[in-house]
Amino acid sequence: MKSPTRTASSAALLALVLGACQREQAQPPSATDATPAPAAAAGEPAAQPSTSPVHPLCPATPGTAPSGDLTATRIAAADGDGSRGLYEGPVWNGKALYFSDFTFADGFPSRIRRLTADGRLETAVEASGSNGLALGTDGALVAAIHDRKELSRFDLVDGSRMRIVGEFQGQPFNSPNDLAIARDGTIWFTDPDFQRAAGPGGQDKTRVYRVGTDGNVSVVDESIANPNGIALSPDERTLYVAGGGEQGVLRAYDLVDGQPRGQRDLATGVQVPDGLAVDCLGNIYLTEHNRRRVRVLSPQGEALATIGVDANITNAAFGGAQRKTLYLTGAGAVWSIELDVAGLPY
């Protein structure tokens, strides 16, 4: 399928595009269709109520955080050649898992794949040039794009692409990698230089950016070398960013009225931190690329659990009927693990 390109031609149209870029299209589980939380057995911790304002996609009782050392299982239908490229940017749209599938060939060619609930692997968009993915309320995908160095919106019906934003101070971005979208449409994204060679131009630094609903692009942080994974807390009062390479960092930014107002490091010395996911209790699922594992941390940075996989890992997202399935992407592989806590879909 070809991917025709459209460009937002006015501030009003751009605001409309950004305003549509909210969380998962499907509604959160209701009191009548949600699976009741099982009663805690003697000596076991009870399911934890949320300590933050409830996210629209989070149940009132999110569940219990994982603990100990766990292992995720490969999904056979999605097995690929991990020596040629990576799977990245998983997002759950209520019916299927979408992710980017890109190779290490010149230009890092990429396509968007769809793993259906019944285990079929399909191609949703050819030649997407994409890395990280998010979802708009209208079912369109919002993507961090390395081939055109921009943020794009994809229509999954016809495969068309619309540019949201593609430059800062008159220059293209390096290679937008991952993104998080607030409920008001504000977009936060990382811009390392991993796929900078995919197209001409770039920035003099690698940065974390904020795109307001008016289309204005501003710098959040330029002190993290190659910032990578990014996520918002369920109450959207904290932004999380991972990056820094071999001895990386997980950094938290306090948000006030949608603007960063302070920062702190939750974890340092992280070995090649990559993508992030967040559960409805606010815990962070930090992937460590070369260590082939997920570190589960509390909002205060306390170590809770690890989840191992059998190849290099890139990113994470919650999905499934109750969003208690944690999906993980990596080197030619998708893994899953069933947890006792609900989480956010990217």
Side-chain angles (χ1 to χ4, degrees):
M1 178 187 297
K2 292 184 179 179
S3 298
T5 302
R6 293 175 288 168
T7 302
S9 57
S10 69
L13 179 56
L14 182 56
L16 177 63
V17 171
L18 291 173
C21 299
Q22 298 178 12
R23 295 280 183 182
E24 179 186 348
Q25 186 176 8
Q27 295 297 312
S30 68
T32 57
D33 63 14
T35 302
E44 293 184 355
Q48 298 165 255
S50 176
T51 57
S52 303
V54 176
H55 189 284
L57 295 177
C58 289
T61 304
T64 303
S67 62
D69 296 325
L70 308 172
T71 303
T73 303
R74 271 183 183 251
I75 298 176
D79 272 354
D81 186 351
S83 68
R84 299 182 58 192
L86 297 171
Y87 295 163
E88 257 285 11
V91 57
W92 177 261
N93 80 332
K95 297 180 181 179
L97 184 77
Y98 289 81
F99 59 91
S100 295
D101 175 2
F102 73 86
T103 75
F104 301 135
D106 289 347
F108 304 96
S110 177
R111 57 184 170 169
I112 296 174
R113 307 276 265 167
R114 175 173 53 236
L115 182 64
T116 64
D118 60 2
R120 290 178 291 112
L121 185 63
E122 305 167 341
T123 297
V125 179
E126 290 281 9
S128 63
S130 60
N131 199 306
L133 303 175
L135 194 69
T137 55
D138 59 357
L141 290 179
V142 182
I145 300 293
H146 53 254
D147 69 342
R148 301 179 191 176
K149 304 191 171 194
E150 65 185 30
L151 300 184
S152 296
R153 177 183 179 275
F154 285 95
D155 187 322
L156 290 177
V157 175
D158 62 13
S160 62
R161 180 195 303 202
M162 177 182 287
R163 168 179 280 197
I164 296 174
V165 64
E167 62 181 38
F168 176 67
Q169 294 183 340
Q171 297 297 320
F173 296 113
N174 294 311
S175 59
N177 183 276
D178 203 1
L179 70 163
I181 307 177
R183 294 193 292 278
D184 70 354
T186 300
I187 302 178
W188 311 82
F189 74 98
T190 57
D191 186 39
D193 61 13
F194 300 135
Q195 287 86 42
R196 179 177 171 136
Q203 296 288 322
D204 60 344
K205 294 183 179 180
T206 60
R207 299 184 177 99
V208 183
Y209 293 99
R210 176 187 186 273
V211 184
T213 55
D214 58 359
N216 183 57
V217 181
S218 57
V219 175
V220 175
D221 196 342
E222 58 183 22
S223 68
I224 300 176
N226 285 321
N228 198 330
I230 191 167
L232 287 162
S233 62
D235 61 9
E236 299 189 353
R237 296 177 182 174
T238 308
L239 178 73
Y240 300 106
V241 175
E246 292 292 337
Q247 294 296 313
V249 63
L250 173 63
R251 185 163 294 170
Y253 305 81
D254 299 321
L255 301 180
V256 179
D257 296 327
Q259 297 286 347
R261 291 289 184 263
Q263 64 187 54
R264 61 195 183 282
D265 290 347
L266 293 183
T268 57
V270 183
Q271 293 191 24
V272 193
D274 208 317
L276 302 173
V278 177
D279 70 25
C280 289
L281 295 169
N283 301 310
I284 306 111
Y285 294 68
L286 169 63
T287 64
E288 287 183 289
H289 186 80
N290 294 346
R291 296 198 71 178
R292 302 182 173 188
R293 70 175 187 176
V294 178
R295 289 172 62 180
V296 186
L297 305 170
S298 74
Q300 294 75 40
E302 174 190 4
L304 302 177
T306 62
I307 303 171
V309 295
D310 60 0
N312 288 357
I313 187 171
T314 60
N315 218 323
F318 281 87
Q322 301 298 322
R323 281 184 296 280
K324 291 186 176 182
T325 303
L326 182 66
Y327 289 101
L328 307 169
T329 54
V334 178
W335 301 267
S336 68
I337 184 171
E338 300 298 322
L339 299 177
D340 292 326
V341 64
L344 300 182
Y346 65 91

